């Protein structure tokens, strides 16, 4: 491919998996498919191996890979055809957002993204690709077309050391009150409840789940759409679920609680993960990439601990909204019934409405899938090859490659691993726990409803653990302060500017 000078400068560290680099001159034609990949916790060998498999069935196509971690896909895409030679992005970007912005993204183009309707309508084993996604991961149409879909499930949550939990007889908590009590038991045994890096922001994943549990799915959607009482209003930021989620987090990891590893403010996220793998803390917040990212550390660890991601404990304050559930003990019984661990007779007197409310809360999850997406620039020279590659990604063969190369992770396509004994038996307890969590999941999000330009947390408040864990008292903020400061930050001028830019006013 005849590389543009700008690409060589921007991607100077590129390592093309098939022996092609910036210094190599290759044909820039519809027969060379250049894929930009995101080298995140999942690695990139899955793209390499998919490329090899794709070339076997498309011998007229050469697949070339380039790393895009050092520069955002949007910057490359807006460089236009003279500054960007990438045909397909398997990275992390809001490609749907770029499609929604239309002609505002790149001069001379009504829409800078290529529609992938053909991909979504293609049938594999008698089922259209658009219908092969797991619930909650379905691609969204923008202005009547599909432009992108997620390539990673991106499941996040609270991870625990299953080995030590079983050794010590710790019960997995169903409610946040039980979680707080568990922390006291763990400390009483001279162990550390949580190990994490405060600068990483991973606890925001759990905070968002607690927010959604309390406020409900519709309430969360209203917040993303900036709707309060059927009107566009910043008062949507006064939803109590936002405050409850912050208070719950503060009660667990606030510096005064003593639940955190001593290196909480100094460890990098990889160092914190390594400490967790080594058993220095019994719980952490992480994602489905943990084992793949830490496989070298785990292989050197003599303890050989096993880990699982647990269903996020239901925020105990939810009983304020359930008239027939009056205390945490009853809430626990309802959760056990929902999980299939108790008979309905154990929750006599609890209304069907309240059971449904808790069921929704129990199934709330947070995913980074929509930050891991695919997209094709409308001006790509090999767009037809890119479309064919996206079709291949939806096949069982591609799923097997992804599973193998990412150490037991899986893409958002429906794939019943339990019907593939060889695959299922090779998966770790960690992978199996996330596979189980993806069933019946309700995901925090609402990107298709989100007002363009809206950020629900600003000014560093998107990472509340920094305020809760700060050693210097002057740097700390309470949940109430963070909650109020966010509302105050949205002045009338800022709010109106947001609505004007989004075309609402």
């Amino acid at each position: 491919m005849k590389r543009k000078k700008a690409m060589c400068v921007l991607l100077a560290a590129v390592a093309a998996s098939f022996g092609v680099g910036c210094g190599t001159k290759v044909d820039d034609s519809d027969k060379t498919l250049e894929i930009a990949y995101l080298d995140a916790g999942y690695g990139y060998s899955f793209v390499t191996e998919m490329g090899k498999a794709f070339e076997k069935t498309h011998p007229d196509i050469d697949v070339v890979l380039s790393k895009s971690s050092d520069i955002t896909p949007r910057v490359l895409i807006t460089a236009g055809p003279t500054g960007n030679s990438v045909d397909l992005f398997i990275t992390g970007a809001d490609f749907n957002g770029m499609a929604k912005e239309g002609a505002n993204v790149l001069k001379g183009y009504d829409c800078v993204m290529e529609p992938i309707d053909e991909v979504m309508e293609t049938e594999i084993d008698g089922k259209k690709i658009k219908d092969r996604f797991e619930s909650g991961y379905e691609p969204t149409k923008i202005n009547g077309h599909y432009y992108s879909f997620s390539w990673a499930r991106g499941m996040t949550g609270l991870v625990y050391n299953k080995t030590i939990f079983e050794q010590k007889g710790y019960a997995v908590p169903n409610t946040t009150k039980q979680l707080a009590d568990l922390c006291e038991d763990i400390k009483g045994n001279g162990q550390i409840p949580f190990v994490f890096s405060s600068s990483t922001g991973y606890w925001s994943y759990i905070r968002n789940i607690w927010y959604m549990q309390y406020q409900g799915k519709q309430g969360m959607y209203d917040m993303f759409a900036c709707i309060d009482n059927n009107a566009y209003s910043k008062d949507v930021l006064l939803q109590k679920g936002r405050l409850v989620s912050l208070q719950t987090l503060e009660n667990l990891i606030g510096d005064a609680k003593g639940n955190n590893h001593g290196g909480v403010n100094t460890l990098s996220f990889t160092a914190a993960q390594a400490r967790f793998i080594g058993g220095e803390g019994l719980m952490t917040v992480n994602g489905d990439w943990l084992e793949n990212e830490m496989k070298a550390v785990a292989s050197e660890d003599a303890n050989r601990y096993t880990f699982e991601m647990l269903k996020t404990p239901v925020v105990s304050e939810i009983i304020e909204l359930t008239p027939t559930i009056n205390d945490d003990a009853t809430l626990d019984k309802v959760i056990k019934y929902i999980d299939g661990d108790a008979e309905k007779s154990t929750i006599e007197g609890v209304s069907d409405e309240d059971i449904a409310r808790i069921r929704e809360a129990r199934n709330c999850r947070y995913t980074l899938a929509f930050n891991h997406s695919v997209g094709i620039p409308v001006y790509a020279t090999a767009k037809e090859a890119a479309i064919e590659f996206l079709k291949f990604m939806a096949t069982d063969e591609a799923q097997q490659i992804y599973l193998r190369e990412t150490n037991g992770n899986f893409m958002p396509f429906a794939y019943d691993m339990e019907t593939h004994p060889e695959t299922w038996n090779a998966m770790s307890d960690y992978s199996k726990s996330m596979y189980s969590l993806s069933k019946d999941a309700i995901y925090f999000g609402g990107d298709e409803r989100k007002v363009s330009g809206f950020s629900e947390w600003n000014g560093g408040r998107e990472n509340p653990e920094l305020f809760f864990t700060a050693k210097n008292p002057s740097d700390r903020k309470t949940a109430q302060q963070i909650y109020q400061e966010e509302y105050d930050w949205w002045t009338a001028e800022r709010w109106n500017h947001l609505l004007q830019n989004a075309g609402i006013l």
Side-chain angles (χ1 to χ4, degrees), residues 71-200:
I71 187 164
T72 66
R74 186 183 180 101
V75 171
L76 287 175
I77 288 173
T78 56
T82 60
N84 170 42
S85 59
V86 174
D87 302 300
L88 172 62
F89 287 89
I90 304 178
T91 55
D94 184 10
F95 298 117
N96 279 345
M98 281 186 264
K100 190 182 295 185
E101 290 179 54
N104 293 328
V105 179
L106 183 61
K107 187 177 180 180
Y109 292 88
D110 293 334
C111 180
V112 77
M113 302 308 302
E114 176 73 13
I116 57 171
D117 298 352
E118 178 186 339
V119 176
M120 295 294 104
E121 295 297 327
T122 297
E123 288 193 5
I124 296 177
D125 297 331
K127 199 170 187 178
K128 290 183 178 180
I129 289 177
K130 67 180 181 181
D131 298 322
R132 289 175 64 85
F133 289 87
E134 284 283 1
S135 176
Y137 291 99
E138 299 91 346
T140 302
K141 276 189 174 182
I142 304 297
N143 298 327
H145 296 285
Y146 294 104
Y147 290 95
S148 183
F149 63 78
S150 302
W151 55 264
R153 294 204 183 189
M155 181 72 72
T156 65
L158 195 60
V159 184
Y160 72 104
N161 188 315
K162 182 181 179 182
T163 304
I164 296 180
F165 263 57
E166 291 179 347
Q167 289 174 352
K168 298 294 184 180
Y170 298 136
V172 173
N174 287 329
T175 71
T176 54
K177 183 181 183 301
Q178 290 179 348
L179 178 57
D181 291 342
L182 171 63
C183 289
E184 296 303 313
D185 291 341
I186 291 173
K187 288 186 294 184
N189 286 328
Q191 296 174 305
I192 302 170
F194 301 118
V195 56
F196 61 96
S197 167
S198 65
S199 63
T200 305

Side-chain angles (χ1 to χ4, degrees), residues 493-505:
E493 181 182 3
R494 278 183 172 144
W495 190 259
N496 290 334
H497 185 66
L498 167 73
L499 298 183
Q500 288 169 356
N501 285 348
I504 295 171
L505 289 183

Side-chain angles (χ1 to χ4, degrees), residues 13 27 54 79 132 143 153 214 221 233 235 275 294 300 325 372 379 421 453 493:
D27 182 32
F54 181 79
R132 289 175 64 85
N143 298 327
R153 294 204 183 189
Y214 186 93
Y221 286 159
S233 170
D235 285 352
R275 300 295 178 93
M294 290 284 104
E300 297 172 359
I325 302 175
H372 297 77
Y379 53 73
E493 181 182 3

Side-chain angles (χ1 to χ4, degrees), residues 450-505:
K450 186 174 181 179
V451 169
S452 179
F454 175 69
S455 294
E456 64 271 29
W457 299 100
N458 298 274
R461 288 179 292 273
E462 58 270 52
N463 184 357
E465 55 260 52
L466 284 173
F467 300 115
F468 295 150
T469 64
K471 287 297 181 183
N472 188 340
S474 64
D475 293 330
R476 296 177 197 157
K477 294 182 187 294
T478 66
Q480 180 66 52
Q481 286 175 317
I482 296 172
Y483 172 76
Q484 187 63 46
E485 285 178 4
E486 187 60 35
Y487 180 77
D488 294 340
W489 186 88
W490 283 102
T491 61
E493 181 182 3
R494 278 183 172 144
W495 190 259
N496 290 334
H497 185 66
L498 167 73
L499 298 183
Q500 288 169 356
N501 285 348
I504 295 171
L505 289 183

Side-chain angles (χ1 to χ4, degrees), residues 242-373:
R242 291 164 61 82
L243 177 59
V244 166
S245 66
L246 288 168
Q247 290 172 330
T248 302
L249 182 57
E250 181 182 20
N251 185 52
L252 289 168
I253 67 169
D255 184 71
K257 296 294 179 180
N259 291 334
N260 306 327
H261 188 282
V264 64
N265 294 312
T266 56
L267 292 172
S268 67
F269 78 95
T270 52
Q273 288 178 166
R275 300 295 178 93
F276 175 67
I277 296 294
E280 287 191 33
L282 301 196
M283 292 178 284
T284 192
V285 179
N286 219 284
D288 56 4
W289 57 84
L290 173 63
E291 281 193 330
N292 188 66
E293 200 165 60
M294 290 284 104
K295 56 190 174 185
V297 175
S299 66
E300 297 172 359
D301 180 30
N303 295 306
R304 293 293 189 272
Y305 293 127
T306 57
F307 308 94
E308 286 190 1
M309 186 177 288
L310 54 81
K311 290 184 178 181
T312 304
V314 174
V315 63
S316 293
E317 285 75 10
I318 200 171
I319 65 174
E320 298 170 355
L321 309 173
T322 54
T324 61
I325 302 175
N326 300 312
D327 52 41
D328 207 69
T330 305
L331 176 60
D332 177 56
K333 291 177 182 178
V334 174
I335 294 170
K336 287 177 179 175
Y337 165 68
I338 290 169
D339 288 352
D341 298 327
E343 299 295 327
K344 191 171 185 179
S345 59
T346 62
I347 56 170
E348 289 182 2
V350 178
S351 70
D352 290 342
E353 291 80 8
D354 286 350
I355 292 173
R357 186 75 173 77
I358 303 305
R359 188 184 301 279
E360 178 186 278
R362 188 59 164 164
N363 288 327
C364 287
R365 309 278 183 267
Y366 186 84
T367 175
L368 293 177
F370 306 107
N371 294 327
H372 297 77
S373 52

